[in-house]
Amino acid sequence: MRHMFFLTTLLLAVFCCFLLILPFSSCANSDKQLTSCADSSAQSFFRWQFQKSSTYCDESSQRWLRYMASQVTQDDIDSLKATESDVECTLGGFSFDNDSMASIEVHVSNYFRMDSLDKITLVKGESEYNFQMVRTNGFWRIRLQGFPQAVE
């Protein structure tokens, strides 16, 4: 009887330790998923692969991606193909606004951007963008609230 009580107590203690550790491993996975989503989205977005980028964005961002894609002309596509531009994206820091919202810095160089006259221009230097991220159904996604603008 005493042996059974000891085993039950031991199993309960191990289970409680597991429950205490679980949230911390979940946070690490959450941070990893957040940075992975931001990196993949930035890589595809700044390469003008809007269809691929849409898989990393939340539902409310889809209309902005459709708008940006609708502004691309055949001349833009020809310019993109003719120019040897190797887009470079690196992530800066990120901060959590709360448990379901975060902000992340993305540094981009050698990329094309659309100017206010709907013309594309090659940016050789580095620009910084800040993206908002939201967690829905346990996954981090980019939330676009307009056409992304470089931080001045």
Side-chain angles (χ1 to χ4, degrees):
M1 179 77 167
R2 198 168 165 191
H3 180 65
M4 188 64 133
F5 177 74
F6 176 74
L7 284 177
T8 306
T9 305
L10 182 64
L11 284 175
L12 184 61
V14 168
F15 182 72
C16 288
C17 288
F18 176 74
L19 288 178
L20 289 172
I21 294 170
L22 184 65
F24 297 109
S25 65
S26 176
C27 288
N29 289 339
S30 178
D31 291 357
K32 189 180 233 182
Q33 199 270 326
L34 179 138
T35 56
S36 175
C37 174
D39 184 57
S40 298
S41 179
Q43 295 289 339
S44 57
F45 180 83
F46 288 107
R47 285 183 170 86
W48 291 44
Q49 299 167 339
F50 299 124
Q51 180 80 23
K52 185 176 180 182
S53 184
S54 71
T55 61
Y56 304 104
C57 294
D58 74 340
E59 197 62 37
S60 68
S61 302
Q62 301 303 317
R63 66 185 176 123
W64 292 108
L65 290 170
R66 284 192 300 274
Y67 172 75
M68 288 178 246
S70 73
Q71 301 305 303
V72 178
T73 66
Q74 187 60 47
D75 290 339
D76 295 335
I77 293 169
D78 294 341
S79 294
L80 289 166
K81 288 181 179 179
T83 306
E84 294 289 325
S85 174
D86 190 23
V87 177
E88 294 179 33
C89 297
T90 56
L91 300 180
F94 63 89
S95 62
F96 292 97
D97 302 330
N98 55 47
D99 63 346
S100 63
M101 294 188 76
S103 301
I104 192 160
E105 296 172 4
V106 178
H107 303 275
V108 188
S109 58
N110 298 323
Y111 70 103
F112 285 94
R113 74 172 166 206
M114 191 177 293
D115 64 18
S116 60
L117 302 174
D118 291 339
K119 298 290 181 191
I120 63 169
T121 55
L122 177 63
V123 178
K124 290 279 191 184
E126 185 175 288
S127 299
E128 180 183 322
Y129 287 81
N130 288 322
F131 286 99
Q132 296 298 312
M133 300 195 67
V134 294
R135 184 166 39 186
T136 54
N137 299 326
F139 293 99
W140 287 101
R141 298 284 182 242
I142 297 286
R143 174 166 287 166
L144 297 176
Q145 298 174 332
F147 197 82
Q149 300 293 318
V151 175
E152 299 294 326

